[in-house]
Amino acid sequence: MSENTQNNTPKKEQYSLNDDRRVKVLSPGALVAKRFFRNRLAVVGLTMLLAMFVFSFIGGVVSPYGQDQQFYTYTQMSKEYVGVTRNDKLRFVVADGQEFGSIAQSKGNEAIKKGEETFTYKDNDYEVETLNEDLYVFRQGRTVLAYASKDMVTAADGVAELSFDAKLAALTAQAAGETTFTADGQDYELDADGNITQSGSEVAYIGRFVVSAADASVVISRDFRDRLEEAIDDNITEFTYTDADGNEAEYDIVYDASTGVWSVKQMTETYVFDRYASPNKEHWLGTDTNGMDMLTRLMYGGRVSLIIGFIVVAIEGSIGIVMGGISGYFG
């Protein structure tokens, strides 16, 4: 019985080394996949590519911000408010309807420096009347053409500018040490501080500071001028001022010796782009120079990079297939 059992057991088939049945045949796709997944570097690259795809295409969809959305914030900024000069040189003021141009003024200035009482320009004779070392009147006969003064007459807040005759009368009264003067048929009072009043109300004041607003729409009040002049006289570089409406602001004073101008800058709260913000709970990677969320920008930027990469690979693959086919066909 044992012999029959042994005889009935099929013998294990032996294959030669050259027999194709010894090799498991794989499809080309399976062979490529097998080799790909055996390559750790290729697997890591595929993982990174998938992560970039999810980050760029899916992340951009779930992000609460748009790719061009800008963010703003309030910040304290120093803005040019006014420019101030101290009038240490003679300034010419020409009477209404009279001609006394820049060349005539230059001739008059030369006559003042030389101490001359008359000068001639274009065959016209002019007289120079000296009221004090800071005030000169120019006449032609009995007609007053202009005056040159280091002091200026500025209208008070909400009051119309004084006429040429009123300004000259005020400066003349100040030079003579008088406390009252009359001009245009009206009486005025003048105090030691240069304040000009009429019936108890201030209409103008005399001073040597020229205050020019950086914005033409800004009206500089007399109270602010006085506070500013006081700060400059005391060599203060910053001060705080509260206007009539109760608004408080800080001001910085910077003097430029080359131009002789005090630049007054106002610290204001300004609504600006939230540039270069540090990473926080709202912007995980902060913001860029345009106030845009950096993380969102990276998401949308990654889309462009991936699309360009896919297009390049597709073009290279197409060219490779065509060239390979031609080479294989023609040998």
Side-chain angles (χ1 to χ4, degrees):
M1 182 175 180
S2 60
E3 291 181 1
N4 293 334
T5 303
Q6 292 178 357
N7 293 333
N8 293 332
T9 301
K11 294 182 179 180
K12 188 174 182 180
E13 189 174 3
Q14 300 294 325
Y15 300 113
S16 65
L17 292 176
N18 296 328
D19 197 330
D20 291 339
R21 288 176 294 176
R22 291 175 56 89
V23 181
K24 183 178 180 180
V25 179
L26 299 176
S27 65
L31 183 60
V32 170
K34 184 177 181 180
R35 291 184 176 181
F36 177 84
F37 286 107
R38 283 182 178 179
N39 189 327
R40 294 182 179 179
L41 187 60
V43 173
V44 172
L46 178 62
T47 304
M48 294 178 62
L49 189 62
L50 292 175
M52 290 179 61
F53 181 86
V54 172
F55 174 78
S56 300
F57 288 91
I58 299 179
V61 175
V62 300
S63 174
Y65 309 128
Q67 63 171 327
D68 297 328
Q69 184 175 354
Q70 293 177 301
F71 298 89
Y72 299 84
T73 185
Y74 284 100
T75 184
Q76 290 287 335
M77 293 187 64
S78 178
K79 289 187 175 181
E80 189 77 21
Y81 188 63
V82 296
V84 183
T85 56
R86 192 196 303 270
N87 192 31
D88 295 326
K89 297 182 179 180
L90 293 173
R91 286 177 176 258
F92 285 81
V93 179
V94 181
D96 298 334
Q98 300 297 331
E99 292 186 3
F100 197 73
S102 58
I103 299 179
Q105 294 175 16
S106 178
K107 295 288 186 180
N109 207 13
E110 290 180 6
I112 292 173
K113 292 180 180 179
K114 295 178 181 179
E116 299 175 349
E117 296 182 354
T118 60
F119 68 93
T120 302
Y121 172 64
K122 286 188 176 181
D123 298 328
N124 293 318
D125 295 328
Y126 299 91
E127 299 176 4
V128 182
E129 180 183 0
T130 303
L131 299 182
N132 62 22
E133 61 180 5
D134 296 330
L135 179 61
Y136 302 87
V137 179
F138 298 88
R139 304 175 185 272
Q140 194 172 36
R142 293 185 176 182
T143 304
V144 176
L145 302 178
Y147 69 81
S149 174
K150 292 182 179 180
D151 294 310
M152 294 164 293
V153 181
T154 305
D157 299 339
V159 180
E161 194 77 19
L162 294 183
S163 66
F164 173 85
D165 292 337
K167 291 180 179 180
L168 179 57
L171 293 172
T172 302
Q174 184 188 49
E178 299 175 353
T179 58
T180 61
F181 65 92
T182 301
D184 301 327
Q186 301 185 41
D187 296 328
Y188 298 90
E189 296 82 34
L190 176 65
D191 63 19
D193 294 328
N195 298 311
I196 303 172
T197 58
Q198 186 180 38
S199 301
S201 299
E202 184 181 34
V203 294
Y205 58 94
I206 300 174
R208 291 195 176 183
F209 282 95
V210 180
V211 181
S212 304
D215 186 350
S217 63
V218 176
V219 178
I220 307 300
S221 66
R222 170 67 188 280
D223 186 51
F224 179 80
R225 290 173 184 263
D226 292 342
R227 181 70 183 89
L228 181 57
E229 291 178 14
E230 179 183 348
I232 292 175
D233 288 336
D234 295 339
N235 292 323
I236 297 175
T237 58
E238 58 182 27
F239 68 97
T240 302
Y241 175 75
T242 304
D243 61 19
D245 297 328
N247 299 319
E248 184 178 271
E250 296 180 0
Y251 298 88
D252 294 329
I253 303 176
V254 180
Y255 179 67
D256 187 350
S258 62
T259 59
V261 177
W262 285 270
S263 177
V264 182
K265 300 180 182 296
Q266 183 184 43
M267 299 300 295
T268 58
E269 191 174 49
T270 308
Y271 197 50
V272 297
F273 290 140
D274 191 10
R275 297 179 175 178
Y276 305 117
S278 302
N280 52 65
K281 63 180 181 179
E282 295 180 352
H283 308 290
W284 291 1
L285 296 182
T287 58
D288 62 8
T289 184
N290 296 316
M292 300 179 183
D293 183 72
M294 284 291 294
L295 183 60
T296 304
R297 297 288 289 173
L298 285 174
M299 291 177 181
Y300 284 92
R303 291 183 180 183
V304 178
S305 300
L306 289 174
I307 291 173
I308 292 176
F310 289 147
I311 292 175
V312 171
V313 170
I315 293 174
E316 289 182 346
S318 300
I319 295 175
I321 291 173
V322 173
M323 297 299 294
I326 294 174
S327 299
Y329 181 79
F330 291 101

